[in-house]
């Protein structure tokens, strides 16, 4: 990270905490530089050894799925345009467009001396005609990180326009499962060559692709998912490749276990990814004292983090609808994998030695407690409340989806996914373009465990593959819904109605009337609240209105929150009259990042030019000073307040008679200052509120 960012971050903390963190951070950096000098002559690769799956899984040695694996394949051309792109080493990375990513100059001397021999041996296994990929480059800026440097010594966020997320996105290898879905001998060979090329160019612990543990974990899961898909349909791989493949997976497991992104208060989706990735590795590798602790730790922490990172109504605690998707995907795929663990792996959950776990947080002693799976004779480590929370994650996604099929962008959106097995694409200028705001596949994946008709109807036929693969990963096991035959909350809605607050001492400062095109747009209106997330929603088949009012997320850190308190989103008949503009970029453009986080980017009440919460505490921290409260909420309206400006600021929303009336109030203002305005369509409403920042439908993208 840049020195400027670190200094600002330190100044935002109490002095004694800043001192402790500075010493720890400096110690880690110093340790990395010392290791760079002392270990450069040693190989960081794991020894080649037979580390196969356990036998006895549906008569296939090495498959999570087995011969009973049956899926509904995605409806698309074969090969699909995106598969054709990646086989030609063209990738669309966070707004780059489909760009060829090839290593122009290959030399073994680019690596540390200790890794050159093994790297050359791995590269010798690559089949003919394969063009190596440049795994270290930010293809948008042209900047390259060095593969001969330990990851801990590399900097990012230090040069304008340089984005470390671009090589990280490529290094997640989320395109590998696409090759398995294509299913040809050529695609299996391409998978084999890509794995070997990555292993040869990225020795464990070196280069940009071992810098962030989250990306290491996501990569491990995607490698194993793709490999398992190939194995399940009968693909075979040669012994030299498998030896290197197993060594690479073991290296991923060791790296994750020793570089967990855990924090006692502010851990979030990064740590959840670490857990899910380590779980996939532990489920794959043969049992040993070490892998048993990995498995037990992952299961224990998965249960704990679902309780911490998701509220009881299924919403994510990070104040971001897009990070809700990312974390939900981690949870559902990890859960399905645990439900299908064979007997020997289940035994590991009772036989592990917690004293062998040397990382932090600690591993609780054996055994892992087991519970009946709702509606099944099976047992699992998950209590019933865990499954209910997982089921409600899908409900939240449905509720925040507008009539145009796109979610309301609350908080940050970095286009992050755990798997991209069946991404939503549309054709733009003859090329596929991913639709990052279409979250139907996440609901489809969760439905692989619950088989709810409402979930299936929402996801539609395009994403039955996601449902099938989660169900196959769980070996066909499903879980009874927490509803137990009661009315589906997707139809009824969840309403929280609170007493109206006394606002007689407040003065109206703005009043906006929005005339709806037709009064019956409000027919079948449902009011749904997520108070712990801080989102209140009215929705019907033709109407969507939401207002943000709640915590900044991440237990007060606000790393992915925006200055959007009391901001609304409005969609009518599929058209966005007012929409949150998104995120655009992180570290390569700090000014742009803050512009998209600013209150001026949102349809929120403002007092002058001041930001309600300071943005200069760092790019991934938002001042926790808002004290946002919902004062009342029901089918006919809402009132909420916050005190971030130092005085109470209220927004009242009234929905009736074909109109939406929005009234903003505060104290200490003259009643003659009130602004009254009327909007009859989206264009006039955006002009009234001066919402003109270019819309960003995904990371690195702007309309």
């Amino acid at each position: 990270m840049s020195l400027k960012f670190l200094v600002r971050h330190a100044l935002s903390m109490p002095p004694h905490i800043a001192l402790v963190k500075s010493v720890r951070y400096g110690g880690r950096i110093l340790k990395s530089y010392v290791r760079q000098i002392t270990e450069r002559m040693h190989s960081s690769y794991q020894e080649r050894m037979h580390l196969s799956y356990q036998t006895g899984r549906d008569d296939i040695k090495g498959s999570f799925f087995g011969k009973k694996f049956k899926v509904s394949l995605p409806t698309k051309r074969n090969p699909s345009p995106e598969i054709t792109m990646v086989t030609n080493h063209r990738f669309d990375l966070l707004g780059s467009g489909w760009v060829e990513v090839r290593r122009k100059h290959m030399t073994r001397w680019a690596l540390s001396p200790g890794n050159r021999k093994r790297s050359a041996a791995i590269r010798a296994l690559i089949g003919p005609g394969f063009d190596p990929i440049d795994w270290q480059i930010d293809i948008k800026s042209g900047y390259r990180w060095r593969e001969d440097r330990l990851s801990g010594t590399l900097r990012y966020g230090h040069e304008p326009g340089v984005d470390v997320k671009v090589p990280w996105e490529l290094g997640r290898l989320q395109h590998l499962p696409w090759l398995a879905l294509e299913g040809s001998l050529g695609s299996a060979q391409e998978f084999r060559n890509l794995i070997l090329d990555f292993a040869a160019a990225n020795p464990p612990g070196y280069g940009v692709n071992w810098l962030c543990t989250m990306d290491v974990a996501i990569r491990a899961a995607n490698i194993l998912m793709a490999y398992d898909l190939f194995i399940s349909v009968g693909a075979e791989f040669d012994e030299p490749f498998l030896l290197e493949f197993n060594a690479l997976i073991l290296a991923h497991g060791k790296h994750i276990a020793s570089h967990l992104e855990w924090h006692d208060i502010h851990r979030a989706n990064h740590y959840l990814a670490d857990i899910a990735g380590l779980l996939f590795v532990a489920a794959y590798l043969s049992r040993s004292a070490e892998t048993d602790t990995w498995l037990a730790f992952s299961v224990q922490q998965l249960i704990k983090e679902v309780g911490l990172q998701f509220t009881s109504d299924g919403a994510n605690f990070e104040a971001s609808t897009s990070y809700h998707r990312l974390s939900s995907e981690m949870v559902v795929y990890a859960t399905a994998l645990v439900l299908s663990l064979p007997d020997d792996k289940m035994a590991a959950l009772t036989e592990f030695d917690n004293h062998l776990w040397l990382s932090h947080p600690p591993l609780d002693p054996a055994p892992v407690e087991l519970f009946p799976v709702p509606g099944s004779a099976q047992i699992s480590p998950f209590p019933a409340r865990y499954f209910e929370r997982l089921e409600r994650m899908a409900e939240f996604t449905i509720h925040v989806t507008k009539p145009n099929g796109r979610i309301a962008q609350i908080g940050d959106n970095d286009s992050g996914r755990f798997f991209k097995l069946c991404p939503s694409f549309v054709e733009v200028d003859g090329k596929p373009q991913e639709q990052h705001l279409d979250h139907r596949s996440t609901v489809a994946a969760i439905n692989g465990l619950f088989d709810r008709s409402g979930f299936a109807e929402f996801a539609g036929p395009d994403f039955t593959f996601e449902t099938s693969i989660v169900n196959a990963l769980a070996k066909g096991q499903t879980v009874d819904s927490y509803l137990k035959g009661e009315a589906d909350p997707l139809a009824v809605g969840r309403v929280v109605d609170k007493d109206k607050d006394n606002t007689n001492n407040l003065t109206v400062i703005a009043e906006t009337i929005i005339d709806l095109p037709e009064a019956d747009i409000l027919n079948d209106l449902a009011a749904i609240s997520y108070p712990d997330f801080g989102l209140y929603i009215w929705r019907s088949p033709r109407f969507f209105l939401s207002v943000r009012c709640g915590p900044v997320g991440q237990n007060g850190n606000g790393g992915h929150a925006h200055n959007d308190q009391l901001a609304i989103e409005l969609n009518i008949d599929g058209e966005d009259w007012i929409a949150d503009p998104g995120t655009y970029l992180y570290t390569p453009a700090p000014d742009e990042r803050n512009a998209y986080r600013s209150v001026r980017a949102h349809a929120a009440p403002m007092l002058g030019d001041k930001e309600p919460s300071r943005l200069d505490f760092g790019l991934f921290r938002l001042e926790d000073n808002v004290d946002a409260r919902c004062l009342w909420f029901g089918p006919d309206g809402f009132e909420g307040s916050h005190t971030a400006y130092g005085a109470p600021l209220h927004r009242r929303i009234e929905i009736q008679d074909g109109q939406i009336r929005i009234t903003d109030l505060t104290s200490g203002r003259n009643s003659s200052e009130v602004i009254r305005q009327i909007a009859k369509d989206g264009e006039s409403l955006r002009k009234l509120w001066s919402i003109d920042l270019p819309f960003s439908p995904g990371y690195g993208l702007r309309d």
Side-chain angles (χ1 to χ4, degrees), residues 44-358:
S44 64
Y45 287 99
Q46 292 296 315
E47 291 296 324
R48 304 180 188 92
M49 58 185 69
H50 291 277
L51 294 167
S52 63
Y53 293 84
Q54 296 296 305
T55 58
R57 298 189 180 190
D58 296 304
D59 300 320
I60 287 185
K61 182 180 181 181
S63 177
F64 292 142
F65 303 112
K67 289 182 178 178
K68 295 180 181 179
F69 173 64
K70 300 292 183 184
V71 298
S72 301
L73 291 175
T75 304
K76 53 177 69 175
R77 296 186 299 276
N78 193 14
S80 62
E82 60 270 19
I83 292 176
T84 301
M85 288 289 188
V86 300
T87 53
N88 290 318
H89 296 178
R90 300 179 72 88
F91 303 93
D92 185 2
L93 303 171
L94 303 177
S96 69
W98 291 95
V99 178
E100 188 176 71
V101 187
R102 299 182 188 270
R103 183 68 186 266
K104 296 179 180 179
H105 305 289
M106 283 299 301
T107 171
R108 64 191 295 260
W109 304 108
L111 301 179
S112 62
N115 283 317
R116 293 170 187 168
K117 182 177 179 180
R118 178 69 173 277
S119 174
I122 295 172
R123 195 162 293 285
L125 298 176
I126 297 176
F130 181 86
D131 291 324
I133 289 175
D134 192 341
W135 299 99
Q136 306 292 329
I137 193 169
D138 168 11
I139 58 176
K140 293 199 283 187
S141 69
Y143 183 89
R144 286 193 84 255
W145 283 265
R146 292 179 56 170
E147 53 266 82
D148 66 336
R149 294 291 181 87
L150 280 168
S151 301
T153 66
L154 298 178
R155 299 173 64 196
Y156 63 93
H158 59 295
E159 290 194 18
V162 176
D163 197 345
V164 72
K165 286 181 66 65
V166 175
W168 284 353
E169 186 76 7
L170 178 61
R172 290 181 175 187
L173 301 183
Q174 291 175 315
H175 54 278
L176 293 184
W178 299 354
L179 299 175
L181 298 181
E182 200 271 331
S184 69
L185 181 62
S187 64
Q189 183 67 18
E190 176 71 8
F191 166 79
R192 178 187 181 278
N193 289 339
L194 281 168
I195 293 294
L196 293 170
D197 184 50
F198 182 88
N202 295 272
Y206 283 80
V208 75
N209 286 303
W210 295 88
L211 180 55
C212 176
T213 309
M214 175 185 195
D215 296 289
V216 177
I218 292 175
R219 176 169 62 246
N222 276 269
I223 291 173
L224 290 172
M225 176 65 77
Y227 177 81
D228 241 42
L229 288 169
F230 274 117
I231 292 298
S232 67
V233 296
E236 296 182 356
F237 296 97
D238 57 283
E239 186 72 9
F241 167 75
L242 291 176
L243 291 173
E244 292 295 351
F245 181 88
N246 290 328
L248 181 64
I249 296 303
L250 181 60
H252 278 72
K254 287 181 175 290
H255 186 93
I256 297 167
S258 59
H259 294 81
L260 293 168
E261 296 164 288
W262 184 86
H263 188 279
D264 57 345
I265 299 174
H266 298 311
R267 62 190 182 276
N269 65 88
H270 277 240
Y271 181 59
L272 188 59
D274 301 347
I275 294 166
L278 188 62
L279 178 61
F280 268 80
V281 172
Y284 167 75
L285 296 175
S286 299
R287 282 192 62 186
S288 69
E290 182 176 39
T291 60
D292 281 359
T293 63
W294 293 355
L295 183 65
F297 177 82
S298 300
V299 170
Q300 287 180 1
Q301 293 297 309
L302 177 64
I303 296 168
K304 291 179 181 179
E305 292 307 305
V306 166
L308 172 74
Q309 297 194 29
F310 289 89
T311 61
S312 60
D313 53 15
N316 190 263
F317 85 138
E318 294 203 53
S320 162
T321 50
S322 291
Y323 278 90
H324 172 87
R325 174 190 204 175
L326 172 63
S327 295
S328 297
E329 288 181 343
M330 296 170 188
V331 173
V332 67
Y333 279 97
T335 301
L337 187 59
V338 173
L339 289 176
S340 69
L341 289 175
D343 291 343
D344 66 308
K345 291 290 186 178
M346 289 297 292
L349 298 181
T350 65
E351 298 170 358
F352 66 90
D353 183 353
N354 68 303
H355 296 99
L356 299 178
W357 176 259
L358 302 179

Side-chain angles (χ1 to χ4, degrees), residues 306 310-315 331 335 374 382-396 446 449-450 452 455 479-484 486 489 494:
V306 166
F310 289 89
T311 61
S312 60
D313 53 15
V331 173
T335 301
F382 306 118
R385 65 180 181 277
Y386 175 98
F387 288 113
E388 177 178 344
R389 198 162 294 198
L390 174 53
E391 193 175 355
R392 288 182 181 273
M393 294 176 199
E395 293 175 10
F396 177 83
I446 294 174
L449 292 182
F450 296 99
R452 267 176 64 172
F455 290 176
V479 181
D480 274 4
S481 172
Y482 75 91
L483 293 172
K484 296 180 175 61
E486 297 176 3
R494 287 195 291 270

Side-chain angles (χ1 to χ4, degrees), residues 20 89-90 112 125 141 155 176 273 291 301 437 451 453 507 511 524 536 549 562 643 665 682 689 701:
V20 171
H89 296 178
R90 300 179 72 88
S112 62
L125 298 176
S141 69
R155 299 173 64 196
L176 293 184
T291 60
Q301 293 297 309
L437 301 181
D451 194 24
S453 59
T507 302
E511 186 176 67
D524 302 319
Y536 299 82
C549 181
H562 294 180
T643 57
L665 310 94
W689 282 347
L701 298 170

Side-chain angles (χ1 to χ4, degrees), residues 514-570:
I514 304 171
D515 288 328
L516 302 179
E518 301 172 26
D520 60 7
I521 284 175
L522 299 176
N523 289 352
D524 302 319
L525 192 68
I528 306 162
S529 68
Y530 287 93
D532 292 333
F533 180 96
L535 192 63
Y536 299 82
I537 302 165
W538 300 265
R539 52 180 296 123
S540 75
R542 301 178 58 190
F543 179 87
F544 178 95
L545 174 65
S546 68
V547 59
R548 168 89 167 101
C549 181
V552 299
Q554 293 182 341
N555 293 332
N557 185 59
H560 291 304
H562 294 180
N563 268 339
D564 57 1
Q565 295 295 340
L566 304 180
I568 71 162
E569 283 215 33
L570 176 62

Side-chain angles (χ1 to χ4, degrees), residues 12 16 30 56 128 207 221 273 293 329 381 561 648 670 680:
S12 70
H16 66 287
L30 179 61
T293 63
E329 288 181 343
N670 191 308
K680 296 182 179 295

